[in-house]
Amino acid sequence: MKNSSANEFMGQLKLKVMPSAGIYDAWSVAEIKTALAQLGKHEAAVTARLDNLITSQKDLTRELGRLDLLRAQVGSQAVATRSISNGILSGAASNATRISDAVKRLDLEQARVKSTLDVVEQVAELKACVLGVTGSMGAPQDWETAAGYLNRASKIPKQIVNGPFAEEIVPTAEVPDPPQVTLDHAAESLRGLFLREFESAAQEGNGGKVTRFFKLFPLIGKSEVGLDVYGRYICQGVSSRARANLNAGPGGNQRKEGFFYANALTKLFEHIAQIVEHHGGLVERHYGAGRMVRVIERLQLEADVQGGIVLDTWSEERNIDRKLTDIRSYAFTFLVKSFLPAQPARSVTPRADSPAKRGMITEIQSCEDEGVDMKEVDRFLSEIALMLGRWSLYSSFIATKCKVRGFDKV
């Protein structure tokens, strides 16, 4: 610090002395006196600064001594701090490590106890379900309760159901088999029972009973069976309705000339669309989202069968094959004549009883006999267009329903 102050002073001194160089350029006594006066002023300023430095040197020395004292005190404090760290804090750190390890062991033991309790609760739930299923299938014959117990048992993990602890605890004198065996036997028994009751209700036309047993299949883990039997049931209704519509139409010329078959096909599509619209909520509520698509697939197969019957009957009634054959074999005489060179017009008109006139009339009649009735073809085309339009609407509806439910199979 003292050296820096001295260097600063010398630099200022050099700057102040620079003007004194003018004394060597003086040419008169006045200029010399002026230069000497300036040198005197600089000398006084330098002397004052030197006095200030000498005075401040004592203060600097005193401050440096205080800094040395503080450095010694800080050193002693650092030594004391290191001793505390090595003595007290190291013990606290080791205690903290032991406490942390003990907490980890406690958490592990707590997790093991919780896992054990979960296993015990699940095994107790499994035992209650097994006993509940067998009890409900006995004298009470409460099929809804039995299916509910099977549904609760299906939510228990398989490793618990097939584990040695469950196989040791669950069996009783009344139900000695392992729990999985008991549940499988109960599910198969209920499946057969539900199928019989469902088919019996379908034959009786008891819609409430059909719905009752249809809702029980997913509870026993037989969703696919329930959807298949339900699909067969509604397909039977579609088939009966389609046959009734086809046989209920008017006969004779009214059936041949109207849009009877197009209307029959329209009724078939409307019936299937109503089933999909009204039954979809029931199926997805009890079987899960997207499961109505399986029923729609069965309905589509039945729609193909019944629609094919309608089209075959329409083809036979309208003699479509014969009409197509006539169209293919039609000679288009008028079209051929349009390409022939024009014949010169005759100026003589034949008499009324002339053989030439009779020949012309016979030729015209033969052309009409061998031609195709365009009005009849137009009626056929209109009926075909109507059928295709209804099919297009039906296909769009089914595709939309399948996409809304998360599938795109149709």
Side-chain angles (χ1 to χ4, degrees):
M1 185 175 181
K2 190 161 62 174
N3 292 334
S4 63
S5 299
N7 292 332
E8 181 182 0
F9 172 74
M10 293 302 295
Q12 293 177 357
L13 182 61
K14 289 180 180 180
L15 293 174
K16 298 293 184 180
V17 172
M18 288 299 294
S20 64
I23 194 171
Y24 296 102
D25 299 330
W27 294 92
S28 63
V29 175
E31 293 177 352
I32 293 173
K33 288 181 178 181
T34 301
L36 288 175
Q38 291 178 353
L39 289 175
K41 291 179 181 179
H42 286 300
E43 181 181 6
V46 170
T47 301
R49 288 179 175 276
L50 289 174
D51 292 339
N52 290 334
L53 285 174
I54 292 172
T55 302
S56 63
Q57 185 177 7
K58 296 179 181 179
D59 296 336
L60 291 174
T61 303
R62 184 170 60 256
E63 294 297 330
L64 289 173
R66 290 178 60 188
L67 289 175
D68 291 337
L69 179 62
L70 290 174
R71 184 178 64 182
Q73 293 177 355
V74 170
S76 62
Q77 293 294 331
V79 173
T81 301
R82 283 194 295 270
S83 64
I84 291 173
S85 176
N86 295 330
I88 300 175
L89 296 181
S90 61
S94 61
N95 290 334
T97 303
R98 289 194 299 272
I99 292 173
S100 177
D101 294 339
V103 170
K104 290 180 180 178
R105 289 194 299 271
L106 181 61
D107 291 340
L108 180 61
E109 293 297 330
Q110 186 177 3
R112 290 174 178 174
V113 171
K114 186 177 181 300
S115 177
T116 303
L117 290 176
D118 291 340
V119 172
V120 171
E121 291 176 356
Q122 289 174 345
V123 171
E125 173 72 6
L126 178 62
K127 187 171 184 177
C129 291
V130 170
L131 296 178
V133 167
T134 55
S136 301
M137 293 176 63
Q141 293 186 350
D142 189 351
W143 311 127
E144 283 81 2
T145 303
Y149 279 121
L150 281 178
N151 186 42
R152 286 168 53 184
S154 65
K155 299 177 181 178
I156 301 174
K158 291 297 182 182
Q159 60 269 21
I160 301 297
V161 177
N162 298 322
F165 182 66
E167 293 181 353
E168 181 69 24
I169 298 298
V170 174
T172 61
E174 295 80 7
V175 188
D177 295 328
Q180 187 63 59
V181 175
T182 303
L183 294 175
D184 291 341
H185 288 169
E188 286 299 320
S189 299
L190 290 176
R191 182 187 71 85
L193 174 67
F194 294 167
L195 279 176
R196 291 191 299 272
E197 293 294 333
F198 185 94
E199 293 173 355
S200 175
Q203 292 177 358
E204 296 172 358
N206 190 342
K209 194 174 180 181
V210 166
T211 304
R212 173 196 174 190
F213 286 97
F214 173 67
K215 294 188 293 186
L216 296 180
F217 282 102
L219 297 180
I220 63 174
K222 305 297 180 181
S223 298
E224 302 299 329
V225 177
L227 292 174
D228 289 340
V229 70
Y230 187 69
R232 290 198 302 270
Y233 166 69
I234 59 177
C235 285
Q236 290 174 0
V238 170
S239 176
S240 300
R241 178 76 67 85
R243 288 195 300 269
N245 291 332
L246 194 60
N247 297 328
N253 294 329
Q254 294 180 355
R255 183 164 177 172
K256 290 183 178 180
E257 295 178 0
F259 291 98
F260 170 76
Y261 294 101
N263 293 331
L265 201 61
T266 301
K267 292 178 181 179
L268 171 65
F269 294 153
E270 289 178 349
H271 185 203
I272 295 176
Q274 290 174 358
I275 291 175
V276 173
E277 185 69 24
H278 297 157
H279 294 217
L282 175 67
V283 173
E284 297 198 350
R285 182 166 59 253
H286 295 283
Y287 283 75
R291 304 309 298 273
M292 186 61 188
V293 175
R294 188 180 181 93
V295 180
I296 292 176
E297 291 175 351
R298 297 295 300 269
L299 283 171
Q300 186 56 45
L301 294 176
E302 189 64 27
D304 294 339
V305 173
Q306 298 303 324
I309 293 174
V310 173
L311 292 177
D312 291 341
T313 308
W314 168 77
S315 178
E316 293 177 0
E317 290 283 346
R318 301 289 192 264
N319 294 321
I320 298 299
D321 293 336
R322 186 176 62 82
K323 293 292 187 283
L324 291 176
T325 302
D326 293 342
I327 292 173
R328 292 192 189 98
S329 61
Y330 181 54
F332 295 95
T333 306
F334 71 94
L335 189 61
V336 173
K337 289 183 177 181
S338 65
F339 290 99
L340 296 177
Q343 297 294 331
R346 295 182 180 180
S347 59
V348 180
T349 303
R351 299 189 307 272
D353 56 349
S354 173
K357 188 171 183 178
R358 289 198 298 270
M360 293 173 61
I361 295 173
T362 303
E363 183 180 358
I364 294 173
Q365 290 178 350
S366 63
C367 291
E368 291 179 353
D369 292 339
E370 70 179 7
V372 177
D373 188 355
M374 298 307 297
K375 293 183 179 180
E376 188 176 19
V377 172
D378 181 67
R379 288 197 300 270
F380 293 160
L381 292 177
S382 299
E383 195 168 13
I384 292 172
L386 182 59
M387 291 180 181
L388 291 176
R390 297 296 186 265
W391 166 255
S392 178
L393 291 175
Y394 168 76
S395 299
S396 299
F397 172 79
I398 293 298
T400 302
K401 286 299 180 180
C402 291
K403 288 180 180 178
V404 167
R405 289 170 172 82
F407 290 84
D408 191 10
K409 294 184 178 180
V410 179

